[in-house]
Amino acid sequence: MVDDSGSDRRIRDGYAARAAEYTQLFGDIGQMDEADRERIGGWADAVDGRILDAGCGPGHWTAFLAERGIDAEGIDLVPEFVAGACARFPHVPYRVASLTDVGVASGSLGGVLAWYSLIHAGPDELAVLLAHARRVLRDGGALLVGFFAGVDGEPFPHAVTTAHYWSVEGLSVLLERAGFRVVDSDARVQDGRRPHASISAVAV
């Protein structure tokens, strides 16, 4: 089940219309930046317990984790993404769900990966999603968030639907309010791409 709010519908419908194109452009782990593979892989290897790839899209990051021997599951709002991921990676579990309706017990997960999957949430929505991520994590559980770096909450025209920038400092404040302690962060700027950042945090 997923939350059928207007925001979720807009995101789901926007990605559903471009699922095949998105998968072709961004759905292969070999297309991902080596720095991202190292960041996600190193983070995941240190997680104790099952990892939820929240907003898994084409499913490549979930499969990347599974291939490292990690107990991982992918969820996404978009049925087309989930169907495609199940077909391409039949050894990995995927299902249609969202952070607001995950379908797992509170405190049952070791980690949540939210790699660019929260970028479409406005400031109020993002606070709610982070609270849901905290709810499903056990104390000491790990969260890794990837996002576009910029002015806190500033919207920009994304190819699918409006997205938002965050600074490391601004998102760290939201994480702390949601019950997390920031462990570390990174940021980089590459020619022709929007600035990128990520934050690793633990549930406290």
Side-chain angles (χ1 to χ4, degrees):
M1 298 293 292
V2 297
D3 180 2
D4 201 31
S5 68
S7 176
D8 275 358
R9 277 198 307 275
R10 184 178 69 253
I11 295 167
R12 183 187 63 215
D13 295 348
Y15 277 101
R18 306 185 67 170
E21 175 191 4
Y22 193 91
T23 299
Q24 182 178 15
L25 291 174
F26 306 110
D28 189 301
I29 202 68
Q31 297 166 310
M32 302 297 99
D33 195 289
E34 178 60 27
D36 291 344
R37 294 196 293 271
E38 291 179 0
R39 174 68 160 158
I40 292 173
W43 167 83
D45 288 345
V47 172
D48 179 17
R50 188 173 183 82
I51 293 178
L52 182 75
D53 183 5
C56 65
H60 51 299
W61 284 118
T62 325
F64 172 76
L65 298 179
E67 286 162 9
R68 297 174 80 91
I70 293 165
D71 182 11
E73 178 185 32
I75 64 168
D76 203 278
L77 284 170
V78 183
E80 289 82 356
F81 274 152
V82 171
C86 287
R88 295 197 306 143
F89 310 111
H91 60 294
V92 181
Y94 300 95
R95 57 190 171 87
V96 178
S98 73
L99 265 178
T100 56
D101 190 6
V102 183
V104 300
S106 297
S108 63
L109 297 176
V112 172
L113 175 65
W115 201 249
Y116 287 92
S117 57
L118 306 181
I119 62 171
H120 299 295
D124 292 340
E125 293 173 306
L126 182 55
V128 170
L129 292 172
L130 293 176
H132 280 287
R134 174 62 187 92
R135 181 189 66 78
V136 298
L137 284 168
R138 61 171 178 78
D139 291 347
L143 173 68
L144 181 63
V145 183
F147 56 99
F148 292 113
V151 176
D152 289 334
E154 181 178 282
F156 66 89
H158 184 274
V160 175
T161 188
T162 301
H164 299 265
Y165 292 111
W166 285 93
S167 68
V168 167
E169 296 77 14
L171 186 51
S172 294
V173 169
L174 290 185
L175 286 164
E176 289 166 1
R177 289 175 181 169
F180 291 94
R181 174 177 57 82
V182 172
V183 175
D184 61 40
S185 64
D186 73 342
R188 68 175 184 270
V189 178
Q190 295 171 287
D191 290 344
R193 299 186 183 181
R194 294 185 178 94
H196 159 91
S198 69
I199 298 176
S200 171
V202 295
V204 295

